[in-house]
Each structure stands twice: as C-alpha cells, then as structure tokens.
Amino acid sequence: PRQSLFWHCPRVSASTMVKFSREAENSTKSCKASGSDLRVHFKNTCVTASAIKKMGLKKAKKYLEDVMEKKQAVPFRFFNGCIGRHAQAKMTGATQCRWPKKSCQFLLHLLKNAESNAEVKGLDTENLEIFHIQVNRAQKQRRRTYRAHGRTNPYMSSPCHIELILTEKDRAVSKGEEDEETKRPKKLTKKRLAQQRSQALTAV
C-alpha cells in the first residue's frame, strides 16, 4: 500500500532544539514548527510560502485549500522562468501563477502542526498570524535516468527545509477617557499663537 506523503521524509518537531533564522519578539505568545529534508520542490514551496507570509492562520489555511481546489492561484513573482500566465493571477496583482498542490499540502500540514503546538501553550488559535516563514534548500537526492548509447544522466530531486513561527496579534486597545485635570494642554506652534493673537485683536 502507498504510504502517506509525510512518512517517507525526515521531520523535525518544534520541541527539538533547532536554530531558527529569526526569533519571535515575545516567546510566550508564539509557537514554532519546522520540517527538514522534505521531499517537495524548493522553488514551488518558496513561492507558496511567500504568498502566505504575514497572513492570519485561518486565512492561510483557507487560501492553501483553495489553491489545491484551483479556486485561487499562487502568484510567481520570482522563480518564474517558463511559468504560464493565467487570468486568476489578476486576483493577486500578478501575471504568472500556478497551483503547486504538493507544496500546499506540506505547508498546510506544517500550519496544523504549529496550531497544535499553540493549543498546548494555551494560545488563542483564532488570533494567530504567520510572523515568520522561511524555506531553505536541502541536500539534493540523487537518481539516474537512462539515455541512448548506454549513457546515464543525473536525475536529482530538490528537497527543502521549512521553518515557521506563529504569533498572537496585538489587539487594539481603546483609549480611555482622560480627565480634564490630567489632560495635558496641546503645544502650539509660533505661527498658531500669532494667528490666535491676531484673531483676538480683530474681535476687539
């Protein structure tokens, strides 16, 4: 029987000591997840990760699910050689786009992993956003393809490492009403003071 996508490749959980390229400002209100040597194309995954950067968790999951169903597309603004144009790219202000299904599956799996880590830490999963996501090249895996006249050519795969940090959004706090006594007087400029003096003289 065919194995799941995620079992044939080594994975790294957030609990393992892994050095991330960036740290969250407040570690108590953030959670991490990462994967190493994932058997998915580096370039497609890098572009897809760039598309969901700074998105809310719920929005990012919905976006990746839509891409897999071809309701939305991933804009290719870099690594875009020989990438076709499509009308769906207009939704994101680009011209070239694709629907990298396997990259979306891996990123969606990693987001769900990070969400589980957030629940363990007691964070509000409805209020999480992607603070940091990075895709790095992993060591290429070697195969061969057979050519004419008894020759062989390399047939390499391009796996990748992914790291991800989710943080809770800062909620907007409404400014309380200030008492008249504690209210500081506004500092006026010289020009404004001169205008007030001239208005007072004309009124007299």
Side-chain angles (χ1 to χ4, degrees):
R2 190 177 177 186
Q3 289 182 330
S4 167
L5 275 173
F6 304 102
W7 291 112
H8 68 270
C9 52
R11 292 182 297 164
V12 178
S13 65
S15 59
T16 315
M17 290 298 291
V18 177
K19 188 171 174 66
F20 279 58
S21 65
R22 190 176 180 186
E23 291 297 329
E25 292 166 3
N26 188 352
S27 60
T28 56
K29 290 195 173 183
S30 65
C31 59
K32 297 177 182 178
S34 66
S36 64
D37 294 301
L38 302 176
R39 190 71 179 270
V40 60
H41 285 220
F42 161 73
K43 288 184 179 180
N44 287 349
T45 310
C46 192
V47 172
T48 310
S50 176
I52 63 169
K53 197 171 187 179
K54 301 297 179 188
M55 271 191 193
L57 175 63
K58 203 171 181 181
K59 187 180 176 183
K61 283 163 69 177
K62 179 73 170 64
Y63 174 74
L64 293 173
E65 285 164 1
D66 284 351
V67 170
M68 285 194 282
E69 294 172 10
K70 296 200 172 183
K71 292 178 182 176
Q72 294 192 63
V74 174
F76 275 64
R77 293 189 173 90
F78 53 96
F79 295 138
N80 55 2
C82 300
I83 302 292
R85 293 174 291 177
H86 198 275
Q88 261 190 358
K90 291 179 190 174
M91 294 166 71
T92 52
T95 53
Q96 294 165 289
C97 67
R98 270 187 181 174
W99 303 266
K101 187 176 179 181
K102 195 173 177 183
S103 296
C104 290
Q105 286 173 334
F106 273 79
L107 287 170
L108 194 58
H109 179 77
L110 207 64
L111 286 173
K112 287 175 181 175
N113 188 358
E115 188 178 12
S116 299
N117 295 337
E119 286 171 1
V120 171
K121 287 184 81 170
L123 302 179
D124 181 12
T125 54
E126 296 293 318
N127 198 33
L128 290 173
E129 68 175 357
I130 300 169
F131 168 74
H132 167 71
I133 186 166
Q134 182 172 311
V135 182
N136 298 322
R137 287 183 196 268
Q139 187 175 0
K140 291 195 173 186
Q141 296 174 5
R142 181 175 291 277
R143 286 182 293 166
R144 70 179 70 174
T145 184
Y146 297 94
R147 310 306 298 267
H149 314 298
R151 293 174 300 136
T152 58
N153 277 4
Y155 208 68
M156 313 285 274
S157 66
S158 299
C160 62
H161 310 303
I162 308 172
E163 58 186 54
L164 169 71
I165 301 176
L166 301 180
T167 56
E168 277 189 350
K169 294 178 195 172
D170 294 327
R171 291 180 181 175
V173 180
S174 58
K175 192 177 179 183
E177 293 181 5
E178 294 177 347
D179 297 329
E180 291 296 325
E181 295 175 1
T182 57
K183 211 172 190 179
R184 291 180 182 179
K186 289 182 180 178
K187 202 171 185 180
L188 300 175
T189 60
K190 287 181 181 178
K191 188 177 180 181
R192 185 67 186 144
L193 286 166
Q195 285 175 348
Q196 285 183 351
R197 281 199 297 270
S198 63
Q199 284 171 4
L201 288 169
T202 51
V204 173

